[in-house]
Amino acid sequence: MTESKLVSSNDNKKTINITNQVLGRPNSATIEWTIEPQKRKLSFKTIEARFTDNSAEYTIDPSPDGTRSRVTTIYYLRDKGAPFPLHSLRTAIRESYLAALGSVKRRALGPKAVVEHR
């Protein structure tokens, strides 16, 4: 993501305009985020975008001892007639997501943290 701007915010929803790269091509999108702390859930859906129509749900489950958490992600990718194969989009999204998770984990645990991918 190269740029983001808050469009609106009310209760547990935020609408954001973002600019990013989709397989090397500039893309802008309007995304609606929903934050539900009581359910330990975060989700987003694409309101408007040129290349992609994505949505996702993230659920956070703490471990019984409270020292760790498991993040479960369900990601939906819909074809909008993009000028590249859907498989390429899926692969790029997965790689970007894993890189972002690794970055968050290293930031939280230190630069020598082992980042596992399943």
Side-chain angles (χ1 to χ4, degrees):
M1 186 177 327
T2 56
E3 186 179 342
S4 66
K5 179 182 173 189
L6 181 64
V7 175
S8 67
S9 177
N10 61 10
D11 297 327
N12 64 336
K13 294 187 185 277
K14 296 186 184 300
T15 303
I16 300 169
N17 282 339
I18 65 165
T19 303
N20 61 357
Q21 296 280 321
V22 176
L23 295 176
R25 296 177 184 206
N27 183 52
S28 61
T30 302
I31 309 293
E32 180 183 81
W33 288 88
T34 303
I35 304 163
E36 301 174 89
Q38 69 284 4
K39 293 182 179 180
R40 293 186 168 104
K41 186 175 176 182
L42 172 70
S43 60
F44 76 84
K45 66 180 178 178
T46 301
I47 304 298
E48 183 180 340
R50 180 175 172 198
F51 295 130
T52 59
D53 187 11
N54 305 334
S55 61
E57 299 172 3
Y58 305 91
T59 305
I60 303 166
D61 297 306
S63 64
D65 65 3
T67 61
R68 302 180 77 158
S69 294
R70 177 179 60 198
V71 178
T72 303
T73 305
I74 300 172
Y75 203 96
Y76 303 96
L77 175 60
R78 291 166 195 83
D79 187 0
K80 285 190 78 169
F84 26 75
L86 190 56
H87 172 75
S88 297
L89 280 174
R90 284 187 187 121
T91 301
I93 287 168
R94 184 176 192 281
E95 289 172 4
S96 297
Y97 178 73
L98 292 174
L101 284 179
S103 177
V104 168
K105 187 172 182 179
R106 278 189 293 283
R107 178 170 257 180
L109 300 177
K112 296 186 183 216
V114 176
V115 180
E116 227 179 273
H117 300 290
R118 292 190 217 172

